[in-house]
Amino acid sequence: MGAMKTFRIAAVPADGVGREVVAAGREVLDALASAGDFAFDWAEFDWGCDYYQRTGRMMAEDGLDQLKAFDAVYFGAVGWPSVPDHVSLWGLRLAVCQGFDQWANVRPVRFLPGVTSPLRKADHVPLDWVVVRENSEGEYAGLGGRNLAARGPGSEVAVQSSLFTEAGCERIIRYAFELAATRERKHVTSVTKSNAQQFGMVLWDDVFRRVAAEYPHVDSDSCLVDAMAARFVLRPEELSVVVASNLHADILSDLGSALAGSLGLAASANLNPERRFPSMFEPVHGSAPDIAGQGIANPIGAIGSAALMLDHLGLPDEAARLERAIEATTAAGVLPRDLGGTASTKEIALAVIDSL
Ligand code: ATP
Ligand code: MG
């Protein structure tokens, strides 16, 4: 036997169902490793809203330094009604994304066998997209302020600016084209709102045209975000890779996962493609306080994120094996509540492990 490769993974389950789905994903990953010639060395961090109540911070002050040494971060979800959402989000998830320059957020969306989509033509349409989200600037750049001109009650003004840089647009658009070139359907759709937002979004459009010209073997088109929302529902078969700004891709990927059947299905990777820092893998959904603690959360988004992590760690065969095990599980009718089934979070994890 050769030397066993060990991956050091930081688990940050954080809040609500994040804890339940990360536990499920860890079980699946450990089962995969025990059957393979690699291992996971886990460290779990108790950051999140409870930690905030105790310490006034969402994560340790030197949290990024602590995470730096890991091969990847396996993340749950952030947010709880006790902490304002913008505080919890910026205090932990966005702190990691920005601190580690995870500028590409990759969110695959596809139909799973045995899962009914709300799309009428679901049975006939092989929906298989990747939403590529700009993850470092745009509308979530954190620029602006409140109280700029408050002259008494009712007169407050707030400014929220978007930041678009040519380099930032170029790297995410290029990432989308490189990804599309590896897919069966070599097509990239760019999404903006450049008719109404005439600076940043027009810069994005200009960069998109320039980069598209360098990829003659990849088809491309551009679409306004409002029209794109309709196109997701009406003509999903046209799409392959969809690249959009931070805000637009955030909204479209929730729409995409709902069209695939549930918010609980969608996986995502926050990548630092240069690999200067660890990348972070997390389900697209949030902490779902309405169902947290009941053991019924859908872990498929988190388990799919584990597959993305395996791929990133250089284990593409194991990633594909895990994807097939997820498909076998839903095909066998082992479905969570949000997909009309009765299986618990744990039962789904066990069914995936059985299918491996
Ligand atoms: P965030 O702001 O963190 O994105 P959110 O407020 O958009 O969070 P979610 O926590 O994603 O909301 O939940 C939205 C809805 O989807 C809720 O009704 C929730 O129960 C449901 N949901 C989310 N994740 C899951 C899951 N893993 N399994 C089942 N249902 C889920
Ligand atoms: Mg959300």
Side-chain angles (χ1 to χ4, degrees), residues 286-351:
S287 59
D290 54 335
I291 58 160
Q294 300 177 36
I296 59 169
N298 181 349
I300 293 175
I303 297 172
S305 305
L308 296 173
M309 184 165 82
L310 290 166
D311 201 41
H312 181 78
L313 293 173
L315 301 168
D317 296 341
E318 302 294 332
R321 245 183 99 201
L322 182 49
E323 294 284 358
R324 283 198 302 275
I326 293 171
E327 285 164 17
T329 300
T330 58
V334 182
L335 299 174
R337 308 276 175 103
D338 52 309
L339 296 175
T342 56
S344 67
T345 310
K346 213 181 165 69
E347 284 165 350
I348 292 167
L350 292 177

Short mmCIF file of all heavy atoms in Angstrom, two decimals, residues 286-351:
data_model
loop_
_atom_site.label_atom_id
_atom_site.label_comp_id
_atom_site.label_asym_id
_atom_site.label_seq_id
_atom_site.Cartn_x
_atom_site.Cartn_y
_atom_site.Cartn_z
N GLY A 286 -29.89 28.60 3.20
CA GLY A 286 -29.53 29.25 4.45
C GLY A 286 -29.77 28.34 5.64
O GLY A 286 -29.87 27.12 5.51
N SER A 287 -29.87 28.97 6.83
CA SER A 287 -29.94 28.21 8.08
C SER A 287 -31.33 27.66 8.36
O SER A 287 -31.50 26.88 9.29
CB SER A 287 -29.49 29.10 9.23
OG SER A 287 -30.33 30.25 9.28
N ALA A 288 -32.33 28.07 7.57
CA ALA A 288 -33.71 27.55 7.65
C ALA A 288 -34.21 27.41 9.08
O ALA A 288 -34.53 26.30 9.53
CB ALA A 288 -33.81 26.22 6.90
N PRO A 289 -34.30 28.52 9.83
CA PRO A 289 -34.74 28.43 11.23
C PRO A 289 -36.11 27.76 11.39
O PRO A 289 -36.38 27.15 12.42
CB PRO A 289 -34.83 29.91 11.67
CG PRO A 289 -33.96 30.64 10.72
CD PRO A 289 -34.00 29.89 9.42
N ASP A 290 -36.93 27.81 10.34
CA ASP A 290 -38.28 27.23 10.46
C ASP A 290 -38.26 25.71 10.60
O ASP A 290 -39.22 25.13 11.10
CB ASP A 290 -39.16 27.66 9.26
CG ASP A 290 -38.54 27.35 7.89
OD1 ASP A 290 -37.30 27.25 7.80
OD2 ASP A 290 -39.30 27.21 6.92
N ILE A 291 -37.20 25.04 10.16
CA ILE A 291 -37.16 23.58 10.28
C ILE A 291 -35.94 23.09 11.05
O ILE A 291 -35.71 21.89 11.18
CB ILE A 291 -37.18 22.88 8.89
CG1 ILE A 291 -35.99 23.34 8.04
CG2 ILE A 291 -38.49 23.15 8.15
CD1 ILE A 291 -35.69 22.36 6.90
N ALA A 292 -35.14 24.02 11.59
CA ALA A 292 -33.89 23.63 12.26
C ALA A 292 -34.18 22.82 13.52
O ALA A 292 -35.19 23.03 14.18
CB ALA A 292 -33.07 24.86 12.61
N GLY A 293 -33.28 21.86 13.80
CA GLY A 293 -33.37 21.09 15.04
C GLY A 293 -34.32 19.91 14.97
O GLY A 293 -34.47 19.16 15.93
N GLN A 294 -34.97 19.73 13.84
CA GLN A 294 -35.96 18.64 13.73
C GLN A 294 -35.39 17.40 13.03
O GLN A 294 -36.09 16.40 12.91
CB GLN A 294 -37.20 19.13 12.97
CG GLN A 294 -37.90 20.30 13.64
CD GLN A 294 -39.07 20.81 12.82
OE1 GLN A 294 -39.77 20.03 12.18
NE2 GLN A 294 -39.27 22.12 12.81
N GLY A 295 -34.18 17.52 12.49
CA GLY A 295 -33.58 16.36 11.82
C GLY A 295 -34.20 16.08 10.46
O GLY A 295 -34.08 14.97 9.95
N ILE A 296 -34.86 17.06 9.86
CA ILE A 296 -35.55 16.81 8.59
C ILE A 296 -34.96 17.60 7.42
O ILE A 296 -35.45 17.52 6.30
CB ILE A 296 -37.06 17.15 8.68
CG1 ILE A 296 -37.27 18.61 9.07
CG2 ILE A 296 -37.76 16.21 9.67
CD1 ILE A 296 -38.71 19.09 8.91
N ALA A 297 -33.91 18.38 7.68
CA ALA A 297 -33.33 19.19 6.59
C ALA A 297 -32.81 18.28 5.47
O ALA A 297 -32.31 17.18 5.72
CB ALA A 297 -32.19 20.04 7.13
N ASN A 298 -32.93 18.75 4.28
CA ASN A 298 -32.41 18.05 3.10
C ASN A 298 -30.89 18.22 3.05
O ASN A 298 -30.39 19.33 2.91
CB ASN A 298 -33.06 18.67 1.86
CG ASN A 298 -32.64 18.00 0.57
OD1 ASN A 298 -31.70 17.21 0.56
ND2 ASN A 298 -33.32 18.33 -0.50
N PRO A 299 -30.12 17.15 3.15
CA PRO A 299 -28.66 17.27 3.15
C PRO A 299 -28.04 17.17 1.75
O PRO A 299 -26.81 17.16 1.63
CB PRO A 299 -28.23 16.07 3.99
CG PRO A 299 -29.24 15.01 3.66
CD PRO A 299 -30.56 15.74 3.36
N ILE A 300 -28.86 17.07 0.71
CA ILE A 300 -28.30 16.80 -0.62
C ILE A 300 -27.43 17.96 -1.12
O ILE A 300 -26.38 17.74 -1.72
CB ILE A 300 -29.42 16.45 -1.62
CG1 ILE A 300 -30.06 15.10 -1.21
CG2 ILE A 300 -28.88 16.35 -3.05
CD1 ILE A 300 -31.26 14.68 -2.04
N GLY A 301 -27.84 19.20 -0.83
CA GLY A 301 -27.00 20.34 -1.22
C GLY A 301 -25.64 20.29 -0.54
O GLY A 301 -24.61 20.56 -1.16
N ALA A 302 -25.65 19.91 0.74
CA ALA A 302 -24.38 19.82 1.48
C ALA A 302 -23.54 18.64 0.98
O ALA A 302 -22.32 18.74 0.87
CB ALA A 302 -24.65 19.69 2.98
N ILE A 303 -24.20 17.52 0.68
CA ILE A 303 -23.46 16.35 0.20
C ILE A 303 -22.91 16.62 -1.21
O ILE A 303 -21.78 16.25 -1.55
CB ILE A 303 -24.35 15.08 0.25
CG1 ILE A 303 -24.74 14.78 1.71
CG2 ILE A 303 -23.62 13.88 -0.36
CD1 ILE A 303 -25.77 13.66 1.86
N GLY A 304 -23.71 17.31 -2.03
CA GLY A 304 -23.22 17.71 -3.36
C GLY A 304 -22.04 18.67 -3.24
O GLY A 304 -21.10 18.63 -4.05
N SER A 305 -22.06 19.52 -2.22
CA SER A 305 -20.92 20.44 -1.99
C SER A 305 -19.68 19.64 -1.60
O SER A 305 -18.56 20.02 -1.95
CB SER A 305 -21.26 21.45 -0.90
OG SER A 305 -22.45 22.15 -1.21
N ALA A 306 -19.90 18.54 -0.88
CA ALA A 306 -18.77 17.66 -0.53
C ALA A 306 -18.17 17.07 -1.81
O ALA A 306 -16.95 16.93 -1.92
CB ALA A 306 -19.23 16.55 0.41
N ALA A 307 -19.02 16.76 -2.80
CA ALA A 307 -18.51 16.24 -4.07
C ALA A 307 -17.68 17.31 -4.78
O ALA A 307 -16.60 17.02 -5.34
CB ALA A 307 -19.66 15.77 -4.96
N LEU A 308 -18.14 18.55 -4.74
CA LEU A 308 -17.35 19.64 -5.34
C LEU A 308 -16.00 19.77 -4.63
O LEU A 308 -14.97 20.06 -5.25
CB LEU A 308 -18.12 20.97 -5.27
CG LEU A 308 -19.43 21.04 -6.07
CD1 LEU A 308 -20.17 22.35 -5.76
CD2 LEU A 308 -19.15 20.94 -7.57
N MET A 309 -16.02 19.56 -3.31
CA MET A 309 -14.78 19.65 -2.54
C MET A 309 -13.81 18.53 -2.94
O MET A 309 -12.61 18.77 -3.10
CB MET A 309 -15.09 19.58 -1.04
CG MET A 309 -13.88 19.77 -0.14
SD MET A 309 -14.36 20.10 1.57
CE MET A 309 -14.66 18.44 2.16
N LEU A 310 -14.33 17.31 -3.13
CA LEU A 310 -13.49 16.19 -3.56
C LEU A 310 -12.82 16.51 -4.90
O LEU A 310 -11.62 16.26 -5.10
CB LEU A 310 -14.33 14.92 -3.69
CG LEU A 310 -14.85 14.32 -2.38
CD1 LEU A 310 -15.93 13.28 -2.68
CD2 LEU A 310 -13.71 13.70 -1.59
N ASP A 311 -13.60 17.06 -5.80
CA ASP A 311 -13.06 17.44 -7.09
C ASP A 311 -11.91 18.44 -6.93
O ASP A 311 -10.84 18.29 -7.52
CB ASP A 311 -14.21 18.04 -7.94
CG ASP A 311 -13.89 17.99 -9.41
OD1 ASP A 311 -13.34 16.98 -9.86
OD2 ASP A 311 -14.17 18.99 -10.11
N HIS A 312 -12.14 19.44 -6.09
CA HIS A 312 -11.13 20.48 -5.85
C HIS A 312 -9.87 19.89 -5.21
O HIS A 312 -8.76 20.38 -5.44
CB HIS A 312 -11.74 21.56 -4.95
CG HIS A 312 -10.81 22.69 -4.63
ND1 HIS A 312 -10.53 23.70 -5.52
CD2 HIS A 312 -10.06 22.96 -3.53
CE1 HIS A 312 -9.68 24.55 -4.98
NE2 HIS A 312 -9.38 24.13 -3.76
N LEU A 313 -10.05 18.84 -4.38
CA LEU A 313 -8.91 18.24 -3.69
C LEU A 313 -8.15 17.27 -4.59
O LEU A 313 -7.20 16.63 -4.15
CB LEU A 313 -9.39 17.49 -2.43
CG LEU A 313 -9.95 18.37 -1.31
CD1 LEU A 313 -10.56 17.52 -0.20
CD2 LEU A 313 -8.88 19.30 -0.73
N GLY A 314 -8.60 17.17 -5.85
CA GLY A 314 -7.88 16.31 -6.79
C GLY A 314 -8.39 14.88 -6.79
O GLY A 314 -7.65 13.96 -7.14
N LEU A 315 -9.65 14.68 -6.37
CA LEU A 315 -10.25 13.34 -6.36
C LEU A 315 -11.50 13.32 -7.25
O LEU A 315 -12.62 13.08 -6.77
CB LEU A 315 -10.63 12.95 -4.92
CG LEU A 315 -9.51 12.92 -3.88
CD1 LEU A 315 -10.07 12.81 -2.47
CD2 LEU A 315 -8.55 11.77 -4.18
N PRO A 316 -11.33 13.57 -8.57
CA PRO A 316 -12.51 13.66 -9.43
C PRO A 316 -13.29 12.35 -9.54
O PRO A 316 -14.52 12.37 -9.66
CB PRO A 316 -11.93 14.07 -10.79
CG PRO A 316 -10.49 13.71 -10.73
CD PRO A 316 -10.08 13.83 -9.29
N ASP A 317 -12.59 11.21 -9.44
CA ASP A 317 -13.31 9.93 -9.52
C ASP A 317 -14.19 9.72 -8.30
O ASP A 317 -15.33 9.24 -8.39
CB ASP A 317 -12.32 8.76 -9.65
CG ASP A 317 -11.55 8.84 -10.96
OD1 ASP A 317 -12.01 9.55 -11.88
OD2 ASP A 317 -10.48 8.21 -11.05
N GLU A 318 -13.68 10.11 -7.14
CA GLU A 318 -14.47 10.00 -5.91
C GLU A 318 -15.66 10.96 -5.97
O GLU A 318 -16.75 10.64 -5.51
CB GLU A 318 -13.61 10.31 -4.68
CG GLU A 318 -12.39 9.42 -4.53
CD GLU A 318 -12.77 7.97 -4.25
OE1 GLU A 318 -13.84 7.72 -3.66
OE2 GLU A 318 -11.98 7.08 -4.64
N ALA A 319 -15.43 12.15 -6.52
CA ALA A 319 -16.52 13.13 -6.67
C ALA A 319 -17.62 12.55 -7.55
O ALA A 319 -18.82 12.64 -7.22
CB ALA A 319 -15.98 14.43 -7.26
N ALA A 320 -17.23 11.93 -8.66
CA ALA A 320 -18.23 11.36 -9.57
C ALA A 320 -18.97 10.20 -8.90
O ALA A 320 -20.18 10.04 -9.07
CB ALA A 320 -17.54 10.87 -10.85
N ARG A 321 -18.24 9.41 -8.12
CA ARG A 321 -18.87 8.31 -7.38
C ARG A 321 -19.93 8.85 -6.42
O ARG A 321 -21.02 8.30 -6.29
CB ARG A 321 -17.80 7.60 -6.54
CG ARG A 321 -17.55 6.18 -6.95
CD ARG A 321 -16.53 5.56 -6.02
NE ARG A 321 -17.16 4.76 -4.98
CZ ARG A 321 -16.55 4.44 -3.84
NH1 ARG A 321 -15.34 4.86 -3.59
NH2 ARG A 321 -17.17 3.69 -2.96
N LEU A 322 -19.60 9.93 -5.75
CA LEU A 322 -20.54 10.52 -4.80
C LEU A 322 -21.77 11.08 -5.52
O LEU A 322 -22.90 10.90 -5.08
CB LEU A 322 -19.82 11.61 -3.97
CG LEU A 322 -20.65 12.30 -2.89
CD1 LEU A 322 -21.40 11.31 -2.01
CD2 LEU A 322 -19.74 13.18 -2.02
N GLU A 323 -21.55 11.73 -6.67
CA GLU A 323 -22.68 12.23 -7.46
C GLU A 323 -23.61 11.09 -7.85
O GLU A 323 -24.83 11.21 -7.79
CB GLU A 323 -22.17 12.91 -8.75
CG GLU A 323 -21.37 14.19 -8.55
CD GLU A 323 -22.26 15.37 -8.20
OE1 GLU A 323 -23.49 15.21 -8.14
OE2 GLU A 323 -21.69 16.46 -7.95
N ARG A 324 -23.01 9.98 -8.29
CA ARG A 324 -23.84 8.82 -8.69
C ARG A 324 -24.60 8.25 -7.50
O ARG A 324 -25.74 7.80 -7.64
CB ARG A 324 -22.96 7.74 -9.33
CG ARG A 324 -22.54 8.07 -10.77
CD ARG A 324 -22.06 6.84 -11.52
NE ARG A 324 -20.93 6.19 -10.85
CZ ARG A 324 -19.66 6.56 -11.03
NH1 ARG A 324 -19.34 7.53 -11.87
NH2 ARG A 324 -18.69 5.94 -10.38
N ALA A 325 -23.98 8.28 -6.30
CA ALA A 325 -24.66 7.76 -5.11
C ALA A 325 -25.85 8.65 -4.73
O ALA A 325 -26.90 8.17 -4.29
CB ALA A 325 -23.67 7.65 -3.95
N ILE A 326 -25.70 9.97 -4.93
CA ILE A 326 -26.82 10.89 -4.68
C ILE A 326 -27.96 10.56 -5.65
O ILE A 326 -29.13 10.46 -5.26
CB ILE A 326 -26.37 12.36 -4.83
CG1 ILE A 326 -25.38 12.75 -3.74
CG2 ILE A 326 -27.59 13.29 -4.82
CD1 ILE A 326 -24.73 14.12 -3.94
N GLU A 327 -27.60 10.36 -6.93
CA GLU A 327 -28.63 10.04 -7.94
C GLU A 327 -29.33 8.73 -7.61
O GLU A 327 -30.56 8.61 -7.73
CB GLU A 327 -28.00 9.98 -9.33
CG GLU A 327 -27.67 11.35 -9.89
CD GLU A 327 -26.70 11.28 -11.07
OE1 GLU A 327 -26.56 10.18 -11.66
OE2 GLU A 327 -26.10 12.32 -11.40
N ALA A 328 -28.56 7.73 -7.19
CA ALA A 328 -29.16 6.43 -6.87
C ALA A 328 -30.13 6.57 -5.69
O ALA A 328 -31.17 5.92 -5.65
CB ALA A 328 -28.06 5.42 -6.54
N THR A 329 -29.78 7.45 -4.76
CA THR A 329 -30.62 7.63 -3.58
C THR A 329 -31.97 8.26 -3.95
O THR A 329 -33.02 7.77 -3.55
CB THR A 329 -29.87 8.52 -2.55
OG1 THR A 329 -28.67 7.85 -2.18
CG2 THR A 329 -30.73 8.78 -1.32
N THR A 330 -31.93 9.34 -4.74
CA THR A 330 -33.20 9.98 -5.10
C THR A 330 -33.97 9.08 -6.06
O THR A 330 -35.20 8.99 -5.97
CB THR A 330 -32.99 11.37 -5.74
OG1 THR A 330 -32.15 11.25 -6.90
CG2 THR A 330 -32.35 12.33 -4.75
N ALA A 331 -33.27 8.39 -6.95
CA ALA A 331 -33.95 7.49 -7.90
C ALA A 331 -34.69 6.39 -7.15
O ALA A 331 -35.75 5.93 -7.58
CB ALA A 331 -32.94 6.89 -8.88
N ALA A 332 -34.14 5.96 -6.01
CA ALA A 332 -34.77 4.90 -5.22
C ALA A 332 -35.94 5.43 -4.39
O ALA A 332 -36.58 4.68 -3.66
CB ALA A 332 -33.74 4.24 -4.32
N GLY A 333 -36.20 6.73 -4.48
CA GLY A 333 -37.34 7.31 -3.76
C GLY A 333 -37.03 7.66 -2.31
O GLY A 333 -37.94 7.94 -1.53
N VAL A 334 -35.75 7.65 -1.94
CA VAL A 334 -35.39 8.11 -0.58
C VAL A 334 -35.29 9.63 -0.63
O VAL A 334 -34.27 10.18 -1.04
CB VAL A 334 -34.06 7.48 -0.13
CG1 VAL A 334 -33.73 7.91 1.30
CG2 VAL A 334 -34.12 5.97 -0.23
N LEU A 335 -36.38 10.29 -0.23
CA LEU A 335 -36.47 11.74 -0.40
C LEU A 335 -36.81 12.41 0.93
O LEU A 335 -37.58 11.87 1.73
CB LEU A 335 -37.56 12.09 -1.42
CG LEU A 335 -37.37 11.55 -2.85
CD1 LEU A 335 -38.60 11.86 -3.69
CD2 LEU A 335 -36.13 12.16 -3.49
N PRO A 336 -36.27 13.62 1.14
CA PRO A 336 -36.61 14.38 2.35
C PRO A 336 -37.97 15.08 2.20
O PRO A 336 -38.56 15.08 1.12
CB PRO A 336 -35.48 15.40 2.44
CG PRO A 336 -35.08 15.62 1.02
CD PRO A 336 -35.30 14.32 0.31
N ARG A 337 -38.42 15.68 3.29
CA ARG A 337 -39.75 16.31 3.32
C ARG A 337 -39.95 17.37 2.22
O ARG A 337 -41.00 17.44 1.61
CB ARG A 337 -39.99 17.03 4.66
CG ARG A 337 -39.76 16.20 5.88
CD ARG A 337 -40.97 15.36 6.23
NE ARG A 337 -40.62 14.50 7.35
CZ ARG A 337 -41.00 14.74 8.62
NH1 ARG A 337 -41.78 15.75 8.90
NH2 ARG A 337 -40.61 13.94 9.59
N ASP A 338 -38.90 18.17 2.01
CA ASP A 338 -39.05 19.28 1.05
C ASP A 338 -39.22 18.75 -0.37
O ASP A 338 -39.66 19.48 -1.26
CB ASP A 338 -37.86 20.25 1.13
CG ASP A 338 -36.52 19.55 1.02
OD1 ASP A 338 -36.29 18.57 1.75
OD2 ASP A 338 -35.70 19.97 0.19
N LEU A 339 -38.91 17.45 -0.60
CA LEU A 339 -39.12 16.86 -1.93
C LEU A 339 -40.31 15.90 -1.90
O LEU A 339 -40.45 15.05 -2.78
CB LEU A 339 -37.85 16.14 -2.40
CG LEU A 339 -36.63 17.05 -2.61
CD1 LEU A 339 -35.40 16.23 -2.96
CD2 LEU A 339 -36.90 18.06 -3.73
N GLY A 340 -41.12 16.02 -0.86
CA GLY A 340 -42.34 15.21 -0.80
C GLY A 340 -42.15 13.84 -0.18
O GLY A 340 -43.07 13.03 -0.18
N GLY A 341 -40.95 13.55 0.36
CA GLY A 341 -40.70 12.26 0.98
C GLY A 341 -40.80 12.33 2.49
O GLY A 341 -41.34 13.31 3.05
N THR A 342 -40.30 11.29 3.16
CA THR A 342 -40.39 11.24 4.62
C THR A 342 -39.03 10.95 5.26
O THR A 342 -38.95 10.82 6.47
CB THR A 342 -41.35 10.10 5.05
OG1 THR A 342 -40.87 8.86 4.47
CG2 THR A 342 -42.77 10.36 4.58
N ALA A 343 -37.98 10.83 4.44
CA ALA A 343 -36.67 10.45 4.98
C ALA A 343 -36.08 11.60 5.80
O ALA A 343 -36.19 12.77 5.44
CB ALA A 343 -35.73 10.06 3.84
N SER A 344 -35.43 11.23 6.91
CA SER A 344 -34.76 12.23 7.74
C SER A 344 -33.39 12.57 7.12
O SER A 344 -32.92 11.89 6.20
CB SER A 344 -34.55 11.68 9.15
OG SER A 344 -33.63 10.62 9.10
N THR A 345 -32.78 13.61 7.67
CA THR A 345 -31.44 14.00 7.21
C THR A 345 -30.48 12.83 7.29
O THR A 345 -29.74 12.52 6.35
CB THR A 345 -30.91 15.16 8.10
OG1 THR A 345 -31.92 16.18 8.18
CG2 THR A 345 -29.63 15.74 7.55
N LYS A 346 -30.52 12.15 8.44
CA LYS A 346 -29.61 11.03 8.68
C LYS A 346 -29.90 9.86 7.75
O LYS A 346 -28.97 9.22 7.24
CB LYS A 346 -29.77 10.59 10.15
CG LYS A 346 -28.48 10.08 10.71
CD LYS A 346 -28.63 9.63 12.15
CE LYS A 346 -27.42 8.79 12.53
NZ LYS A 346 -26.19 9.55 12.62
N GLU A 347 -31.19 9.59 7.54
CA GLU A 347 -31.55 8.46 6.66
C GLU A 347 -31.05 8.70 5.23
O GLU A 347 -30.63 7.76 4.54
CB GLU A 347 -33.06 8.24 6.66
CG GLU A 347 -33.55 7.56 7.94
CD GLU A 347 -35.06 7.65 8.12
OE1 GLU A 347 -35.75 8.41 7.38
OE2 GLU A 347 -35.56 6.98 9.03
N ILE A 348 -31.10 9.93 4.80
CA ILE A 348 -30.60 10.22 3.45
C ILE A 348 -29.09 10.00 3.39
O ILE A 348 -28.57 9.39 2.46
CB ILE A 348 -31.00 11.62 3.01
CG1 ILE A 348 -32.52 11.66 2.84
CG2 ILE A 348 -30.32 12.03 1.71
CD1 ILE A 348 -33.11 13.01 2.72
N ALA A 349 -28.39 10.49 4.42
CA ALA A 349 -26.94 10.29 4.44
C ALA A 349 -26.61 8.80 4.41
O ALA A 349 -25.73 8.36 3.66
CB ALA A 349 -26.33 10.94 5.69
N LEU A 350 -27.34 8.00 5.19
CA LEU A 350 -27.08 6.55 5.22
C LEU A 350 -27.39 5.91 3.87
O LEU A 350 -26.67 5.01 3.42
CB LEU A 350 -27.90 5.89 6.34
CG LEU A 350 -27.46 6.28 7.76
CD1 LEU A 350 -28.37 5.64 8.81
CD2 LEU A 350 -26.00 5.91 8.01
N ALA A 351 -28.47 6.37 3.22
CA ALA A 351 -28.81 5.82 1.90
C ALA A 351 -27.72 6.16 0.88
O ALA A 351 -27.37 5.33 0.04
CB ALA A 351 -30.16 6.37 1.45
#
